[in-house]
């Protein structure tokens, strides 16, 4: 590379142009791989065959799969009730339907793009039904066939020709059988069965040296092999293999990473046409091939790696090896059928690039955003605030003119003017024919110019950061185009007088015609929101560059849309898969695209110049039918059909649609609408979700039409539509019998009212009776209120009694004890100082705990409302409570043991659960001396049980009985217990828990706390 650079630098001193470097013109392919992660049922694709509707069918080890280009629909024993085996063995050649056989002999028949029949019998090709016995023959399913070589040593190998005729190959003999009888026999020495194939009803043999022998009525004929393969070096070295798609009637020849299709050319021979280059079949374990000749797309089935889809790329990207920066903007025509960039790089239309003398400067003479070529062949560009003129051979700078501000874009018009747009003021011009051009200012009110374009004579269209302007020459009078005041103009295209196309930044594309501005609809992804450039080809199509790819639109369609003669516009999208190095094209330059004299187009991108011949670009139109794959009613699968009956109270109705299309999915867009005859509203079309499903729920009764449509290409009303009928049954109150019943009731009501009016006395008695009943009801309500008040008073009295008992027993008694042990006079007992402190702490703790329980009890008794729930770690909560009881238990020589493992959780109010555990632990410690208090937990299916066992004095039987009965809640159910257990019982009702008490195994008490689990 350094040597080439130095040579070019040396030659630039003697030559006006640098040498042309050749470029790679090899056809490239975009390869997309599908596996089970993409929806493929299994990664072993054994056979590939298309159906009449355009779907592709794949035979795998886990079912028969239909592929529409984006989604896989699998038919296996999981969703086909009559099918017992999902292992597909072979696909038979059939012109009317697809016939597939499983490994256990089941026959699947595919018609109307779905599996319609499953059985044991097959019409035609019955001779290929393989039976494992010594006298049977082995039918191949195509090449490669790993088992054919093995069986060919011990039995004949059958190669099908028609429904009732075939070739039986055994050792060195080939027998032709027709309608069960031998027609003729062929002898071929050193026969390799894997090199035999049938094409257009004839049997051929490919020898290892590349020669082909065909037979006509048993007589051998040498058939020339012509075409692309003859120039393949691997073919000359005899490195070739046959791939035969028997079901699709296609034969391929594979050399070293190249694949060719073999087709008979009558009177000439067998022609080989390259369908794929530089793809390693062996490394990817390719076992089946199908070639879509119309779209030049190759489908490869791998025995382990799924499905490969190889699409030939159509666009060429021109790049150089000069620098790493291959970002291009403005370009202009250059002598020799080439284009030149402001940096001095030239690209030949036929391929190759060169460097002009100015390109060797270390500093760029011209910035890359604008380049204009005048009538004298000179090039004009900018460098900051300097207007620069360059010689036609791009060898020297001829002019430098300073402007008072930064230069924007420029345009050389047919009248010999060079228009220069700037920041402020915005528009200058020079006469390029003058020997010494002088800069002139046009008094037009335009600033921050972004694009300049000629209109009809005397009109100049100027785009700016603040809208579009029409400038009248030579006066400079300026018209502001309404509707684009806030638009940042990206480019302007004027195909004829009075028709102006404008692309903007973030606002899309507009047409200004007849003093009227019309916005074109954007694509669904809104990629066209920022359209850099509009270029028209010779076929009447616009090419629109964006940051997310390239669009093609028919100009007449856009005009019809603007005039209201067409409702929708079809945009064809080209993405990176078509050969671009990047989807991001460049704008903000002038010119924003270049068109050769022969119609070829060159577009600047972020990575190279994209050049192509518009007439040779194929567009794969989404013109296939629309199909309903599956239907769900209330999440239950329903057979797909054209009409559905739904109950009145259905919750959901969902269907999945598909249409075979193997191009870019952004060119296939579905819309749907729901119609009813009595709906006066205008029809609304909604886009179908990306997952191709349509969902409805809770429709009123009646007959509806679901209309599903897609645009199949350019032109007016180019729709493909499918209509489904939904009948929602009437509700019971909409039926005839319900109406008759209501009418009968009304008649009876009228008669009843008439009788009531006639019998006035009876009416008065009934009114009096109603008054008495009303008064009685009021008295009953008052009694209810009094009873509730009495119950409340009773509860308050009991609480007062309980408080008095608790204070008397649990506070007064410890206080007396504290007074006695803390007198200044010597104690009458033998209490030591340490024991006094321990007893004092124990008494104070119990008083504190009692007060705390009283507070919680009062809150539970008088406060209402919901308690928040938390995820509580039971082990951690028990540890916290044991830490509180540590001093007391230590003084009483009690061992606290927590057997609850960490991570045991329950969803409950943490504060309430903490109070419950605190009281239970307190009771256990209170009635235990020199023993053990331990906690365990066990998790059931819906409940978590916490066991607390102690070795203390034990709980009285009446207290246990009170605890074990759920109805014993509240303060009135237990006579002599402390406030703690009452509080526990009431808290358990709040947290939906239960408590059980049992005598301990080794004495003491065992308490079980049950808490519900939400999961």
């Amino acid at each position: 590379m350094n040597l080439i650079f130095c040579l070019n630098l040396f030659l630039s001193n003697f030559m006006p142009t640098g040498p042309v470097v050749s470029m790679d013109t090899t056809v490239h392919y975009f390869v997309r791989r599908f596996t089970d992660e993409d929806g493929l049922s299994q990664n072993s694709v054994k056979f590939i065959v298309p159906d009449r509707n355009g779907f592709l069918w794949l035979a795998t080890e886990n079912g028969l799969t239909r592929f529409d280009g984006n989604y896989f629909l699998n038919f296996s024993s999981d969703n086909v009730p009559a099918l017992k085996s999902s292992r597909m063995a072979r696909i038979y050649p059939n012109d009317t339907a697809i016939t597939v056989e499983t490994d256990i002999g089941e026959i699947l028949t595919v018609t109307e793009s779905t599996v319609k029949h499953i059985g044991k019998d097959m019409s035609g090709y019955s001779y290929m039904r393989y039976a494992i016995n010594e006298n049977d023959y082995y039918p191949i399913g195509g090449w490669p066939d790993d088992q054919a070589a093995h069986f060919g040593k011990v039995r004949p190998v059958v190669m099908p020709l028609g429904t009732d005729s075939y070739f039986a190959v055994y050792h060195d003999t080939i027998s032709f059988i027709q309608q069960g009888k031998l027609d003729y026999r062929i002898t071929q020495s050193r026969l390799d069965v894997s090199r035999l194939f049938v094409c257009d009803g004839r049997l051929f043999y490919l020898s290892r040296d590349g020669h082909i022998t065909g037979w006509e009525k048993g007589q051998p004929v040498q058939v020339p092999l012509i075409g692309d393969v003859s120039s393949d070096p691997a073919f000359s070295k005899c490195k070739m293999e046959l791939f035969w798609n028997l079901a699709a009637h296609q034969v391929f020849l594979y050399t070293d990473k190249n694949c060719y299709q073999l087709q008979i050319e009558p009177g000439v021979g067998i022609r080989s046409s390259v369908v794929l280059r530089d793809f390693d079949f062996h490394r990817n374990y390719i076992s089946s091939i199908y070639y879509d000749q119309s779209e030049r797309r190759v489908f490869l089935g791998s025995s382990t790696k799924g499905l490969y889809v190889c699409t030939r790329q159509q666009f060429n990207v021109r790049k150089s090896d000069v620098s790493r920066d291959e970002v291009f903007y403005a370009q202009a025509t250059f002598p020799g059928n080439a284009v030149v960039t402001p940096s001095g790089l030239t690209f030949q239309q036929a391929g190759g690039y060169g460097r002009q003398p100015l390109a060797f400067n270390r500093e760029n003479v011209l910035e890359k955003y604008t380049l204009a070529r005048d009538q004298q062949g000179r090039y004009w560009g900018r460098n900051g605030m300097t207007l620069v003129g360059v010689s036609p051979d791009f060898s020297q700078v001829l002019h430098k003119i300073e402007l008072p501000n930064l230069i924007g874009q420029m345009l050389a018009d047919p009248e010999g003017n060079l228009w220069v747009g700037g920041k402020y003021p915005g528009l200058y011009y020079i006469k390029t024919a003058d020997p010494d051009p002088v800069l002139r200012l046009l008094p037009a009110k335009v600033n921050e110019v972004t694009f300049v374009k000629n209109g009809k004579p005397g009109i100049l269209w100027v785009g700016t950061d603040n809208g579009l302007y029409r400038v009248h020459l030579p006066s400079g009078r300026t018209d502001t185009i309404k509707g684009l005041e806030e638009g940042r103009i990206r480019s302007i295209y004027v195909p004829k007088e009075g028709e102006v196309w404008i692309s903007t930044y973030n606002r899309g594309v507009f047409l200004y015609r007849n003093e009227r501005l019309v916005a074109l609809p954007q694509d669904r992804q809104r990629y066209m929101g920022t359209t850099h450039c509009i270029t028209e080809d010779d076929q009447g199509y616009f090419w629109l560059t964006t940051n997310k790819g390239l669009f093609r639109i028919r100009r007449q369609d856009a005009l019809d849309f603007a005039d209201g003669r067409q409702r929708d516009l079809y945009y064809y999208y080209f993405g990176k898969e078509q050969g671009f190095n990047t989807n991001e094209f460049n704008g903000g330059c002038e010119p924003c695209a270049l068109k050769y004299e022969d119609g070829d187009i060159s577009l600047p991108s972020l990575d190279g110049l994209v050049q192509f011949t518009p007439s040779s670009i194929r567009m794969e139109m989404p013109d296939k039918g629309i199909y309903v794959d599956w239907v769900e009613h209330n999440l239950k699968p329903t057979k797909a059909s054209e009409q559905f009956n739904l109950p009145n109270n259905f919750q959901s109705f969902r269907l999945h649609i598909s249409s075979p299309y193997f191009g870019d999915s952004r060119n296939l867009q579905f819309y749907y609408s729901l119609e009813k005859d009595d709906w006066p509203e205008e029809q609304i079309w909604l886009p179908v979700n990306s997952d191709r499903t349509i969902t409805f729920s809770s429709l009123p009764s009646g007959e509806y039409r679901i209309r599903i449509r897609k645009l199949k290409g350019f032109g007016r009303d180019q729709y493909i539509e499918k209509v489904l009928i939904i009948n929602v049954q009437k509700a019971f109150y909409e039926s005839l019998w319900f109406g008759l019943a209501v009418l009968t009731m009304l008649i009876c009501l009228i008669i009843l009212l008439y009788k009531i009016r006639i019998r006035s006395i009876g009416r008065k008695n009934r009114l009096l009776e109603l008054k008495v009943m009303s008064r009685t009801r009021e008295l009953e309500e008052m009694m209810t209120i009094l009873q509730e008040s009495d119950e409340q008073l009773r509860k308050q009295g009991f609480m007062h009694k309980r408080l008095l008992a608790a204070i008397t027993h649990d506070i007064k008694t410890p206080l007396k004890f504290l007074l006695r042990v803390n007198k200044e006079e010597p104690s009458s007992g033998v209490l030591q100082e340490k024991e006094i402190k321990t007893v004092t702490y124990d008494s104070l703790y119990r008083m504190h705990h009692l007060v705390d329980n009283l507070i919680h009890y009062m809150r539970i008794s008088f406060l209402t409302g919901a308690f928040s729930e938390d995820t509580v770690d039971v082990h951690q909560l028990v540890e916290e409570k044991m830490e509180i009881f540590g001093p007391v238990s230590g003084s009483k020589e009690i061992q606290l043991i927590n057997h609850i493992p960490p991570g045991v959780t329950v969803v409950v109010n943490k504060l309430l659960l903490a109070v419950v555990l605190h009281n239970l632990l307190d009771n256990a410690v209170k009635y235990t001396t020199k023993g053990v208090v331990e906690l365990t937990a066990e998790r059931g299916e819906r409940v978590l049980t916490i066991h607390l066992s102690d070795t203390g004095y034990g709980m009285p039987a009446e207290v246990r009985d009170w605890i074990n009965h759920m109805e014993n809640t509240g303060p009135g159910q237990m006579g002599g217990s402390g406030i703690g257990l009452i509080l526990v019982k009431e808290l358990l009702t709040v947290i939906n828990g239960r408590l059980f008490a049992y005598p301990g195994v080794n004495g003491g008490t065992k308490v079980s706390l049950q808490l519900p689990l939400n999961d």
Side-chain angles (χ1 to χ4, degrees):
M1 182 62 200
N2 291 334
L3 180 60
I4 295 175
F5 177 82
C6 294
L7 180 60
N8 285 338
L9 184 61
F10 173 77
L11 291 176
S12 66
N13 296 321
F14 303 96
M15 299 177 62
T17 60
V20 176
V21 181
S22 62
M23 300 183 66
D24 180 20
T25 58
T26 305
V27 176
H28 297 282
Y29 298 83
F30 173 72
V31 180
R32 186 179 179 187
R33 178 186 170 201
F34 296 90
T35 66
D36 54 350
E37 296 178 359
D38 303 299
L40 186 62
S41 61
Q42 201 259 350
N43 290 328
S44 296
V45 180
K46 302 164 66 175
F47 301 97
I48 308 174
V49 64
D51 66 11
R52 290 185 170 183
N53 296 322
F55 290 100
L56 210 62
W57 290 85
L58 315 174
T60 74
E61 296 288 340
N62 189 31
L64 182 63
T65 301
R66 193 193 74 184
F67 183 45
D68 66 0
N70 291 280
Y71 295 94
F72 295 93
L73 182 63
N74 191 46
F75 296 89
S76 66
S77 57
D78 294 334
N79 56 9
V80 180
L83 189 64
K84 296 180 181 179
S85 175
S86 297
R87 295 174 66 91
M88 303 295 119
R90 56 178 51 84
I91 298 181
Y92 294 102
N94 201 320
D95 297 329
T96 58
I98 296 176
T99 305
V100 186
E101 183 180 8
T102 68
D103 62 337
I104 61 174
E106 296 173 293
I107 300 298
L108 286 75
T109 303
V110 176
T111 54
E112 299 177 8
S113 297
T114 188
V115 175
K116 287 286 188 176
H117 175 74
I118 297 175
K120 290 290 185 180
D121 300 326
M122 181 176 63
S123 59
Y125 297 99
S126 58
Y127 60 85
M128 293 190 69
R129 301 301 300 277
Y130 176 51
I132 304 177
N133 56 61
E134 294 182 357
N135 298 322
D136 199 10
Y137 40 75
Y138 176 77
I140 68 167
W143 299 127
D145 191 325
D146 296 336
Q147 299 185 37
H150 168 71
F151 285 106
K153 298 177 181 179
V154 295
R155 63 183 67 181
V157 174
V158 168
M159 308 179 72
L161 179 63
T163 56
D164 57 357
S165 59
Y166 60 90
F167 295 96
V169 183
Y170 188 59
H171 294 308
D172 295 338
T173 302
I174 304 172
S175 301
F176 178 63
I177 311 298
Q178 189 168 10
Q179 295 181 349
K181 297 180 181 180
L182 177 64
D183 194 347
Y184 58 84
R185 184 176 282 113
I186 301 170
T187 301
Q188 177 74 26
S189 61
R190 293 181 293 178
L191 185 64
D192 183 355
V193 66
S194 65
R195 293 184 171 271
L196 284 167
F197 64 94
V198 175
C199 185
D200 286 354
R202 293 178 58 188
L203 181 67
F204 296 93
Y205 183 78
L206 175 67
S207 63
R208 294 189 177 277
D209 57 5
H211 294 89
I212 296 180
T213 302
W215 286 273
E216 295 180 357
K217 293 294 183 179
Q219 300 300 318
V221 178
Q222 294 298 318
V223 181
L225 179 60
I226 60 177
D228 298 336
V229 74
S230 59
S231 60
D232 192 327
F235 177 74
S236 61
K237 297 177 182 179
C238 302
K239 295 180 179 180
M240 64 195 97
E241 300 174 54
L242 277 176
F243 281 79
W244 179 15
N245 188 333
L246 191 150
H249 306 288
Q250 291 183 338
V251 181
F252 302 91
L253 184 64
Y254 174 72
T255 61
D256 185 14
K257 297 184 180 180
N258 296 326
C259 181
Y260 304 85
Q261 185 180 20
L262 302 183
Q263 294 175 301
I264 292 181
E265 192 169 320
V268 179
I270 293 182
R271 179 168 297 278
S272 60
S273 304
V274 63
V275 297
L276 186 62
R277 291 191 184 275
D278 197 26
F279 190 92
D280 194 331
F281 280 24
H282 297 153
R283 183 176 180 182
N284 294 288
Y285 302 100
I286 301 303
S287 59
S288 56
I289 310 176
Y290 170 70
Y291 178 56
D292 183 355
Q293 189 168 1
S294 62
E295 302 300 337
R296 295 193 286 184
R297 182 176 289 112
V298 182
F299 299 88
L300 304 174
S302 171
S303 59
T304 59
K305 295 185 177 182
L307 175 69
Y308 291 88
V309 181
C310 308
T311 305
R312 183 176 296 189
Q313 296 177 331
Q314 304 187 80
F315 292 87
N316 297 316
V317 179
R318 307 301 189 193
K319 295 180 65 175
S320 69
D321 298 326
V322 175
S323 67
R324 297 180 181 178
D325 184 10
E326 296 292 335
V327 180
F328 294 103
Y329 285 88
Q331 50 187 323
T333 58
F334 193 78
N337 206 22
V339 299
V340 65
T341 67
S343 64
L345 284 173
T346 58
F347 293 91
Q348 300 293 325
Q349 184 179 7
Y353 71 91
R355 299 183 66 191
Q356 305 314 309
L358 286 182
F360 295 101
N361 291 341
R362 294 184 178 180
E363 296 182 1
N364 290 330
V365 176
L366 303 178
E367 296 178 6
K368 55 188 175 183
Y369 297 101
T370 185
L371 187 65
R373 189 169 187 257
D374 63 19
Q375 294 178 335
Q376 290 75 33
R378 294 170 298 184
Y379 297 93
W380 295 88
R382 77 184 191 194
N383 192 336
M385 299 169 60
T386 304
L387 178 64
V388 182
V390 180
S391 61
D393 60 358
F394 236 86
S395 63
Q396 58 181 327
V397 175
L398 302 178
H399 302 283
K400 284 189 176 182
I401 303 174
E402 294 293 328
L403 268 72
N405 50 59
L406 291 175
I407 300 174
Q409 304 297 348
M410 59 185 64
L411 170 72
D413 67 11
E415 285 76 24
N417 298 315
L418 178 68
W419 296 97
V420 182
K423 289 290 184 181
Y424 181 85
L427 200 58
Y428 298 85
Y429 68 97
I430 63 172
K431 297 290 186 179
T432 58
D434 294 344
D436 189 12
V438 178
L439 185 67
R440 297 177 175 89
L441 174 65
L442 184 73
K445 296 180 179 179
V446 291
N447 300 312
E448 300 185 8
V449 176
T450 59
F451 209 89
V452 184
K453 192 70 177 179
N454 289 106
K456 65 180 181 179
I459 295 296
L460 197 66
W461 294 94
V462 180
T464 71
D465 280 340
N466 300 310
L468 178 66
Y469 299 90
R470 177 171 49 200
V471 179
H472 298 266
L473 303 177
S475 65
R477 181 171 59 88
T478 304
D479 300 331
T480 302
I481 305 303
K482 295 182 179 180
L484 291 172
E485 293 84 355
E486 301 298 327
R488 183 179 177 186
I489 307 304
R490 204 69 171 160
S491 71
I492 304 170
Y493 175 63
V494 184
K496 66 178 184 178
E497 183 178 334
E499 182 181 328
V500 183
W501 299 87
I502 310 106
S503 67
T504 65
Y505 203 95
N506 289 334
R507 293 188 59 187
V509 178
F510 295 84
L511 168 64
Y512 184 72
R513 189 176 57 156
N514 300 327
E515 303 300 321
R516 177 171 167 260
L517 186 69
V518 178
L520 298 189
Q522 294 195 31
D523 59 297
R524 183 180 290 189
Q525 292 81 19
R526 302 188 67 83
Y527 292 166
M528 290 173 53
T530 298
T531 298
H532 299 309
C533 192
I534 303 174
T535 307
E536 187 176 5
D537 62 23
D538 296 336
Q539 288 78 42
Y541 290 92
F542 285 161
W543 295 84
L544 287 73
T545 59
T546 72
N547 285 332
K548 297 294 182 65
L550 181 64
F551 288 88
R552 194 180 193 184
I553 176 176
R554 188 165 173 246
R555 176 188 168 198
Q556 187 59 48
D557 290 352
L559 292 172
D560 291 342
F561 175 85
D563 293 337
R565 296 192 297 265
Q566 186 166 325
R567 177 173 179 175
D568 296 308
L569 276 179
Y570 182 74
Y571 301 102
Y572 193 91
Y573 176 82
F574 296 92
K576 184 178 177 181
E577 298 82 1
Q578 291 289 334
F580 314 145
N581 291 335
T582 174
N583 279 336
E584 187 170 350
F585 288 84
N586 278 331
C589 56
E590 189 168 357
C592 57
L594 187 140
K595 188 175 179 182
Y596 287 95
E597 292 182 358
D598 63 356
D600 283 10
I601 294 175
S602 179
L603 303 173
S605 80
L606 203 63
D607 190 9
L609 287 176
V610 177
Q611 297 186 350
F612 59 96
T613 302
S615 60
S616 66
I617 299 299
R618 294 173 295 101
M619 293 183 291
E620 187 174 357
M621 294 301 180
D623 53 3
K624 301 298 189 297
I626 301 174
Y627 301 87
V628 177
D629 293 338
W630 50 261
V631 179
E632 284 184 353
H633 165 224
N634 289 346
L635 302 181
K636 296 180 180 179
T638 304
K639 184 179 180 181
S641 64
E642 302 292 328
Q643 186 167 349
F644 303 93
N645 295 317
L646 301 176
N648 183 266
N649 60 344
F650 78 94
Q651 298 299 316
S652 67
F653 176 76
R654 190 161 69 109
L655 57 92
H656 184 276
I657 61 174
S658 65
S659 182
Y661 185 71
F662 297 89
D664 196 301
S665 60
R666 281 163 287 205
N667 292 320
L668 177 63
Q669 298 179 2
F670 295 96
Y671 295 85
Y672 75 96
S673 69
L674 186 66
E675 295 180 353
K676 195 177 181 183
D677 290 336
D678 55 355
W679 282 358
E681 293 86 357
E682 184 181 356
Q683 190 178 46
I684 299 176
W685 289 93
L686 300 174
V688 177
N689 296 331
S690 58
D691 60 357
R692 307 277 176 86
T693 59
I694 302 174
T695 304
F696 297 98
S697 61
S698 303
L699 292 174
S701 61
E703 182 177 287
Y704 298 87
R705 293 183 299 276
I706 302 176
R707 296 180 61 188
I708 308 168
R709 66 164 47 167
K710 67 173 182 176
L711 278 170
K712 65 178 180 180
F714 300 107
R716 189 184 307 175
D717 298 330
Q718 293 296 306
Y719 298 111
I720 292 179
E721 188 169 283
K722 189 176 188 64
V723 180
L724 305 177
I725 305 299
I726 296 180
N727 288 309
V728 181
Q729 298 175 358
K730 293 183 178 181
F732 72 92
Y733 50 82
E734 298 177 302
S735 60
L736 178 62
W737 65 266
F738 185 82
L740 293 175
V742 172
L743 180 61
T744 303
M745 291 179 63
L746 288 175
I747 294 174
C748 294
L749 181 60
I750 292 173
I751 295 174
L752 180 61
L753 291 176
Y754 178 75
K755 290 183 178 180
I756 291 174
R757 187 173 181 82
I758 296 298
R759 300 174 184 178
S760 59
I761 297 175
R763 184 174 66 251
K764 291 179 181 180
N765 289 336
R766 285 191 294 273
L767 290 174
L768 180 60
E769 211 171 44
L770 290 174
K771 290 181 180 180
V772 173
M773 291 174 61
S774 177
R775 183 60 179 168
T776 302
R777 190 179 302 109
E778 292 176 359
L779 292 174
E780 289 176 352
E781 292 176 354
M782 188 175 296
M783 287 296 296
T784 301
I785 294 172
L786 291 174
Q787 289 176 356
E788 291 177 354
S789 299
D790 181 67
E791 178 65 17
Q792 186 68 20
L793 290 173
R794 186 185 64 78
K795 291 176 65 177
Q796 290 180 359
F798 177 83
M799 186 179 70
H800 294 160
K801 180 179 177 182
R802 176 62 59 192
L803 290 173
L804 182 60
I807 292 171
T808 301
H809 180 266
D810 293 331
I811 296 181
K812 186 176 180 181
T813 302
L815 285 174
K816 287 181 179 180
F817 178 80
L818 290 174
L819 291 173
R820 183 175 62 83
V821 300
N822 288 281
K823 284 184 180 181
E824 293 182 1
E825 59 189 37
S827 175
S828 58
V830 292
L831 294 173
Q832 299 297 324
E833 181 179 356
K834 182 177 181 180
E835 294 175 337
I836 292 174
K837 289 183 179 181
T838 300
V839 173
T840 301
Y841 174 84
D842 185 65
S843 299
L844 290 174
Y845 172 79
R846 295 193 182 282
M847 288 187 291
H848 167 74
H849 181 58
L850 173 65
V851 172
D852 189 68
N853 278 339
L854 289 174
I855 292 172
H856 285 298
Y857 179 75
M858 292 174 68
R859 286 178 179 173
I860 295 300
S861 299
F862 291 101
L863 297 179
T864 60
F867 293 91
S868 63
E869 293 185 343
D870 311 290
T871 301
V872 180
D873 189 325
V874 179
H875 173 83
Q876 182 179 353
L877 183 59
V878 170
E879 286 293 326
E880 293 174 1
K881 292 303 175 182
M882 283 186 171
E883 186 176 354
I884 294 174
F885 287 98
V888 178
S889 61
S891 64
K892 298 180 70 175
E893 299 184 13
I894 301 174
Q895 186 179 3
L896 300 180
I897 303 175
N898 182 8
H899 287 298
I900 301 176
V904 176
T905 60
V906 65
V907 179
V908 72
N909 185 276
K910 184 175 181 180
L911 176 61
L912 300 183
L913 179 60
V915 173
V916 170
L917 291 176
H918 190 103
N919 280 278
L920 295 178
L921 272 171
D922 180 69
N923 284 340
V925 172
K926 183 188 297 183
Y927 296 108
T928 303
T929 303
K930 295 184 178 180
V932 177
V933 176
E934 57 182 353
L935 286 94
T936 60
E938 59 177 316
R939 190 182 187 96
E941 184 177 356
R942 295 181 179 274
V943 69
L944 175 67
T945 304
I946 301 174
H947 301 290
L948 188 148
S949 304
D950 62 63
T951 58
Y953 309 131
M955 186 180 291
E958 60 272 19
V959 178
R960 292 199 306 270
D961 183 71
W962 178 81
I963 290 175
N964 291 334
H965 289 79
M966 289 186 63
E967 62 273 16
N968 294 337
T969 59
Q973 301 295 329
M974 180 179 175
S977 64
I979 196 68
L981 285 178
I982 297 175
L983 179 62
V984 168
K985 290 285 283 185
E986 292 190 356
L987 288 179
L988 289 177
T989 62
V990 177
I991 62 176
N992 299 322
R994 293 194 64 180
L995 189 66
F996 300 92
Y998 315 93
V1001 179
N1002 298 320
T1005 304
K1006 180 179 180 182
V1007 178
S1008 298
L1009 172 61
Q1010 291 185 353
L1011 298 171
L1013 294 174
N1014 293 333
D1015 55 353

